[in-house]
Amino acid sequence: MKRKIIHIDQDKCNGCRLCVDACHEGAIQMIDNKATLVSDKYCDGLGDCLPVCPTDAIKMVEREADPFDEEAVKERMEMKKKMEPMPCGCPGTHAKKIQKKIPKVVTTDTTQKNTFLPSQLNQWPIQLRLVNPNNDYFEGANLLVAADCTAFSYGNFHEDFIKDHITVIGCPKLDDNNYNVEKLTAIIKNNNIKSIKVIRMEVPCCTGMTKAVKEAMLNARKIVDYKEVIIGIDGNIR
């Protein structure tokens, strides 16, 4: 059938993702950092995405297209609410809060104490690819976004940073940073995040973690109390 439907000019698209959030039917998806119409049947032709595009990359055209399928849209939106499980069904992807027992200090002699330092981690999983943005522990959370190497570089990481935070980790160099942005956007958009603290290394590639968080706040249209801490490769705070 011939009907009105959106057309996205890939050359004009700057990858801002604003149209993805504006589309209530989930018809637009980021592919290779470009907004793409996933399927004709998801687009209702109302054009909610048009006014948010800063580069005028989206137009309404009339062409042969599959009819809008409301039931298919409902199924797609339900699927987007759920995290896709790992193919192996690994139990390491299951979300849970962590309850801790604080051990007592064990004194070995009068001059030396052997102290066990407890973990301050408050939830599982922590890898950005594994967390579900709709997990209830994100609601009202002080969010810690840490580059992978930081916990190995800074000796008192748990006590100084993880304590009283919900933690997610990732690597802007080895991970797909576009995916990191999309996951962080969903976390910020879907929850009332109280604050965000970014911990990154001093190396230049690690600035991608900072950029990902800031872009996510813009995509979610929420500006959250923000702080950044930079760890040197010598283990000191810069």
Side-chain angles (χ1 to χ4, degrees), residues 29-210:
Q29 182 175 321
M30 298 304 297
I31 299 177
D32 295 330
N33 207 31
K34 295 286 186 179
T36 305
L37 178 62
V38 180
S39 174
D40 292 354
K41 66 182 180 181
Y42 298 137
C43 179
D44 58 10
L46 295 179
D48 290 340
C49 54
L50 269 69
V52 302
C53 180
T55 62
D56 198 31
I58 307 176
K59 299 288 186 184
M60 189 67 67
V61 300
E62 190 169 341
R63 64 168 174 83
E64 289 292 331
D66 293 334
F68 174 65
D69 190 336
E70 189 172 354
E71 288 302 315
V73 169
K74 288 180 180 178
E75 291 178 8
R76 176 170 172 77
M77 298 310 288
E78 284 299 317
M79 287 295 294
K80 288 185 72 174
K81 289 180 182 178
K82 302 174 183 178
M83 281 291 293
E84 293 183 3
M86 297 292 287
C88 61
C90 174
T93 66
H94 297 171
K96 60 182 177 181
K97 292 183 178 179
I98 299 173
Q99 303 295 328
K100 303 181 187 63
K101 293 182 179 179
I102 307 300
K104 296 180 179 179
V105 174
V106 179
T107 304
T108 55
D109 55 45
T110 57
T111 61
Q112 185 178 10
K113 290 184 179 180
N114 181 16
T115 305
F116 175 82
L117 298 178
S119 167
Q120 296 295 336
L121 192 64
N122 290 297
Q123 99 290 342
W124 185 265
I126 59 174
Q127 224 289 335
L128 266 172
R129 282 192 169 274
L130 301 182
V131 298
N132 184 336
N134 297 309
N135 282 335
D136 58 5
Y137 51 65
F138 283 119
E139 182 59 31
N142 292 305
L143 183 64
L144 178 70
V145 181
D148 289 345
C149 298
T150 54
F152 295 93
S153 302
Y154 185 77
N156 211 32
F157 195 86
H158 275 250
E159 188 67 25
D160 289 358
F161 298 126
I162 294 181
K163 187 176 182 180
D164 300 325
H165 286 77
I166 294 299
T167 303
V168 293
I169 65 171
C171 177
K173 185 170 185 177
L174 300 181
D175 296 345
D176 179 355
N177 212 38
N178 292 328
Y179 182 90
N180 288 344
V181 172
E182 290 181 2
K183 183 61 72 70
L184 288 166
T185 298
I187 292 172
I188 297 169
K189 184 176 181 180
N190 298 348
N191 301 279
N192 179 30
I193 301 297
K194 291 181 180 178
S195 67
I196 298 177
K197 182 179 290 185
V198 173
I199 313 294
R200 69 170 181 86
M201 298 299 296
E202 66 176 334
V203 294
C205 60
C206 215
T207 59
M209 189 60 76
T210 301

